Amino acid sequence: YLSDIPANPNFGVALQDSHLYVIKNFGVSSFNITQPSSPVFMASATPQYWPLTLYADGNYLYCGGGMVGQLAVLDISQPTAMTIVHEDPSVTGTVYQFAKSSQHLYFTTNQDTLFTADVSNPAAPVIVSRISLNQTFTEGSVVAGNRLFLGSYH
């Protein structure tokens, strides 16, 4: 145990280089953790919904919405000035976890749907597939090669 970052609630965290991104006060905050025992607050951004999960990839942070749903993208190329570059309200349900392979971002929701987004332009993902999972509640996902594995329970 090195330090504590007060967050309310603290569901999602993501790490990119020496910056930690956390869900804090219904938005996303960035912290410089070069000195892990003394994290330094850098900036915050507040999408139009309450984010629940985060996924960092290069200069972008993907945020999945809780309760209301939605997919948002933050430009984190300047951790001291994060900006919201995309919000997609067509994603319904709580997003629990992201998995990425090449140009595709995969995520499931509590409404039994597997979404696939084309992220060839990471600042403007396009939903290319929605697959019903037949009342299977999924929480975890991982990509291995050309396969997507989902953790679920009935």
Side-chain angles (χ1 to χ4, degrees), residues 11 49-52 64-70 92-96 110-111:
F11 290 110
Y49 66 97
W50 171 40
L52 183 70
M67 308 311 164
V68 176
Q70 207 171 61
T92 56
T94 300
V95 176
Y96 287 105
N110 68 336
Q111 294 189 357

Side-chain angles (χ1 to χ4, degrees), residues 28 45-49 51 54 59-65 69-76 82-91 98 105 107 115-128 130:
V28 178
T46 305
Q48 292 181 354
Y49 66 97
L54 304 173
N59 289 330
Y60 297 95
L61 183 70
Y62 297 95
C63 306
Q70 207 171 61
L71 171 67
V73 183
L74 277 63
D75 181 335
I76 57 172
M82 297 184 297
T83 57
I84 299 166
V85 295
H86 180 79
E87 290 185 302
D88 183 346
S90 75
V91 173
F98 294 104
L105 185 69
F107 53 98
F115 286 85
T116 303
D118 180 334
V119 291
S120 54
N121 177 355
V126 175
I127 303 298
V128 294
R130 298 167 196 254

Side-chain angles (χ1 to χ4, degrees), residues 55-58 60 62 97-107 116-122 141-145 147-148:
Y55 182 82
D57 186 39
Y60 297 95
Y62 297 95
Q97 186 175 0
F98 294 104
K100 185 173 180 281
S101 175
S102 185
Q103 303 298 329
H104 292 100
L105 185 69
Y106 304 96
F107 53 98
T116 303
D118 180 334
V119 291
S120 54
N121 177 355
S141 58
V142 66
V143 174
R147 294 196 169 117
L148 174 67

